Amino acid sequence: GAGVSQSPSNKVTEKGKDVELRCDPISGHTALYWYRQSLGQGLEFLIYFQGNSAPDKSGLPSDRFSAERTGGSVSTLTIQRTQQEDSAVYLCASSPGAGSYEQYFGPGTRLTVT
Amino acid sequence: AQSVTQLGSHVSVSEGALVLLRCNYSSSVPPYLFWYVQYPNQGLQLLLKYTSAATLVKGINGFEAEFKKSETSFHLTKPSAHMRDAAEYFCAVIGGAGSYQLTFGKGTKLSVIP
């Protein structure tokens, strides 16, 4: 079946602009995660959605970062007023939820802020 | 809180030789442990997982790992390296039932020498 998909695969933006990154999870998966992968910080958790529950935003690095998940499926990660330190690969993962701990990752979006 | 330490940011082995990638974890509760592989410009692929069943876990592509509670280790092994195994490998932990976010090690890049 189809895996997790993310778009765009690459995004180059100017400092100060807003960007939106999209994630389509595996069909039927109730849990969705965003992670960030950067050279300096490695892989970091950003945010977690489970069903209709309030998301866990504890990993978001600043209030410039936000995410939503519509209809329990597609998710969008928004970064406002981008800074150069936001340059990284943003990875989305989904999980069946309900006691399943395996997370399946998408190919990522490489964000470059110039 | 939990953490993961991967010994060796870069490991080189000859084709056909044993692969051993080391991972030690810290967790205040019984952990769930994972190994992921990342090929260049791709997302993370799950190799194997430990979720409190058998301590010796077999995964894809001939890899296996053994959970040793006394040593807080979860080392990844493969008897005979192939060129296609060249990639970056990440060990990750979830801090037990009720937790969900992955905490990753910094990764080990495996090179396979022909």
Side-chain angles (χ1 to χ4, degrees):
Chain A
V4 177
S5 61
Q6 294 186 243
S7 61
S9 55
N10 282 282
K11 176 72 176 178
V12 180
T13 190
E14 293 179 353
K15 178 181 173 181
K17 301 282 190 182
D18 297 352
V19 295
E20 287 188 351
L21 312 179
R22 177 187 168 103
C23 172
D24 283 88
I26 294 172
S27 177
H29 281 194
T30 61
L32 186 148
Y33 313 76
W34 284 96
Y35 293 85
R36 179 170 70 173
Q37 185 175 26
S38 59
L39 283 175
Q41 302 299 320
L43 279 152
E44 305 172 279
F45 165 77
L46 295 178
I47 188 169
Y48 162 68
F49 296 89
Q50 171 58 56
N52 296 320
S53 301
D56 177 353
K57 305 179 182 179
S58 61
L60 294 179
S62 78
D63 58 8
R64 296 186 295 105
F65 287 72
S66 62
E68 63 177 18
R69 188 178 186 192
T70 54
S73 181
V74 172
S75 177
T76 302
L77 177 69
T78 301
I79 309 174
Q80 296 178 308
R81 306 181 302 281
T82 52
Q83 304 295 312
Q84 288 187 330
E85 61 263 29
D86 300 333
S87 295
V89 176
Y90 290 82
L91 293 165
C92 177
S94 70
S95 173
S100 173
Y101 297 92
E102 301 169 31
Q103 296 181 25
Y104 298 89
F105 283 79
T109 294
R110 181 175 297 277
L111 175 66
T112 303
V113 182
T114 61
Chain B
Q2 54 274 341
S3 65
V4 174
T5 302
Q6 291 184 241
L7 295 177
S9 59
H10 197 168
V11 170
S12 292
V13 300
S14 297
E15 191 173 16
L18 171 71
V19 176
L20 170 60
L21 304 182
R22 299 178 186 273
C23 172
N24 289 87
Y25 70 91
S26 172
S27 177
S28 57
V29 296
Y32 299 140
L33 294 157
F34 306 83
W35 276 98
Y36 283 87
V37 60
Q38 187 175 37
Y39 299 99
N41 299 313
Q42 295 188 26
L44 298 167
Q45 181 181 9
L46 180 65
L47 274 179
L48 49 79
K49 63 179 179 181
Y50 167 77
T51 54
S52 75
T55 56
L56 181 61
V57 180
K58 295 187 183 298
I60 62 172
N61 301 339
F63 285 93
E64 63 181 38
E66 186 172 9
F67 172 69
K68 291 186 177 181
K69 183 178 179 179
S70 61
E71 298 178 7
T72 60
S73 69
F74 191 56
H75 303 329
L76 181 71
T77 60
K78 182 174 180 178
S80 176
H82 292 269
M83 295 298 295
R84 62 177 176 265
D85 296 328
E88 190 155 20
Y89 293 79
F90 293 91
C91 183
V93 64
I94 290 177
S99 300
Y100 41 78
Q101 68 182 81
L102 288 164
T103 299
F104 287 92
K106 293 191 177 300
T108 298
K109 187 172 183 179
L110 176 66
S111 298
V112 182
I113 304 165

